């Protein structure tokens, strides 16, 4: 069950969201990842609060949305009004993934970063 809401994700996205896409698939994806983060954090002895998990999920859902519908400074509306259809990206080149970075900054356990980067620890016994 999702920790965040469509309204919360819309508010975070603000003017980046034009309402043309459903946010539910992105929230569902974020929920799956954040559930793994919660399990990982508990395994590491670090408990994330429900508020922290909801915020991580909200920022991660916004990230997933912007990966599928890139954030433009301006878009044409359905009537064709507005500026160029291929307007420049809003994103700061120094921070190419602002919503993902926001989610990772909220996770003090480091589990989200490890999951995103697919990092795992392995131990190999080489003998004596």
């Amino acid at each position: 069950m999702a920790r965040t809401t469509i309204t919360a994700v819309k508010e975070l996205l603000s003017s980046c969201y034009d309402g043309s896409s459903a946010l539910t698939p992105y929230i569902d994806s974020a929920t799956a990842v954040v559930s793994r983060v919660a399990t990982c954090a508990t395994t590491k002895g670090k408990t994330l609060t429900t508020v922290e998990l909801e915020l991580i999920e909200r920022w991660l859902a916004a990230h997933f949305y912007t990966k599928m519908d890139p954030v433009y400074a301006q878009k044409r509306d359905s009537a064709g009004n507005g500026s160029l259809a291929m307007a420049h990206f809003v994103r700061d080149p120094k921070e190419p993934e602002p919503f993902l970075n926001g989610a990772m900054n909220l996770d003090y356990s480091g589990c989200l970063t490890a999951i995103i980067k697919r990092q795992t620890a392995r131990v190999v016994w080489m003998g004596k």
Side-chain angles (χ1 to χ4, degrees), residues 8-22:
V9 176
K10 281 182 186 178
E11 188 175 306
L12 179 61
L13 287 167
S14 186
S15 63
C16 299
Y17 181 65
D18 63 5
S20 65
S21 302

Side-chain angles (χ1 to χ4, degrees), residues 21-67:
S21 302
L23 293 175
T24 305
Y26 309 109
I27 292 172
D28 292 344
S29 299
T31 299
V33 174
V34 172
S35 293
R36 286 186 180 266
V37 169
T39 302
C40 171
T42 302
T43 302
K44 291 172 83 173
K46 299 178 180 184
T47 304
L48 296 167
T49 67
T50 55
V51 171
E52 290 169 325
L53 292 171
E54 186 277 327
L55 286 168
I56 294 166
E57 187 172 293
R58 184 186 320 177
W59 281 80
L60 196 56
H63 165 70
F64 289 150
Y65 168 77
T66 59
K67 294 303 281 185

Side-chain angles (χ1 to χ4, degrees), residues 2 24-25 61 70 73-75 83 87 91 94 99 104 111 120:
T24 305
Q74 300 170 2
K75 288 185 177 180
S83 59
R91 295 183 180 136
K94 296 175 191 166
F99 294 110
M104 289 192 298
C111 291
T120 57

